[in-house]
Amino acid sequence: MSIYVVPTWHCNLHCPHCFVHTYKDEWNEEEFLKSLKELKEKYPNEGFILHGGEPTLYRDRYKTILDTGIIDSICSNLIVDNSIIKI
């Protein structure tokens, strides 16, 4: 099983087949990180995938999430700059 972690529904693309832009994006860092850590405790052997919208849009948010050490992989459209890749 994989657990998809969605820090944002915003995306830098506007694909006609995609629906993520219809979701409301509400970010509460404290609540998000708390939920993420609780999920990891509940499912310690599962893979955690950063997903979204485009999860790399907000650099501080992206870095904070990666710093937890919980995320195993990232699903991105790869339309990002080199500073994101370095993170």
Side-chain angles (χ1 to χ4, degrees), residues 1 7 79 82 86:
M1 179 169 79
I79 300 179
N82 286 338
K86 289 176 185 175

Side-chain angles (χ1 to χ4, degrees), residues 14-82:
H14 301 287
C15 304
H17 65 275
C18 188
F19 59 88
V20 298
H21 66 278
T22 64
Y23 292 128
K24 188 173 184 179
D25 195 49
E26 295 181 19
W27 173 252
N28 179 318
E29 183 174 313
E30 183 179 323
E31 193 63 34
F32 184 90
L33 294 175
K34 178 183 172 205
S35 296
L36 181 61
K37 289 173 185 174
E38 287 172 356
L39 279 170
K40 185 61 177 176
E41 288 174 11
K42 187 173 181 178
Y43 302 102
N45 299 319
E46 304 306 333
F48 283 72
I49 301 169
L50 199 57
H51 204 271
E54 175 51 49
T56 64
L57 279 181
Y58 304 103
R59 286 171 177 77
D60 291 342
R61 189 181 304 185
Y62 175 66
K63 176 120 174 50
T64 298
I65 295 167
L66 291 184
D67 285 348
T68 66
I70 294 173
I71 301 301
D72 298 301
S73 64
I74 301 165
C75 181
S76 171
N77 60 33
L78 296 178
I79 300 179
V80 296
D81 61 43
N82 286 338

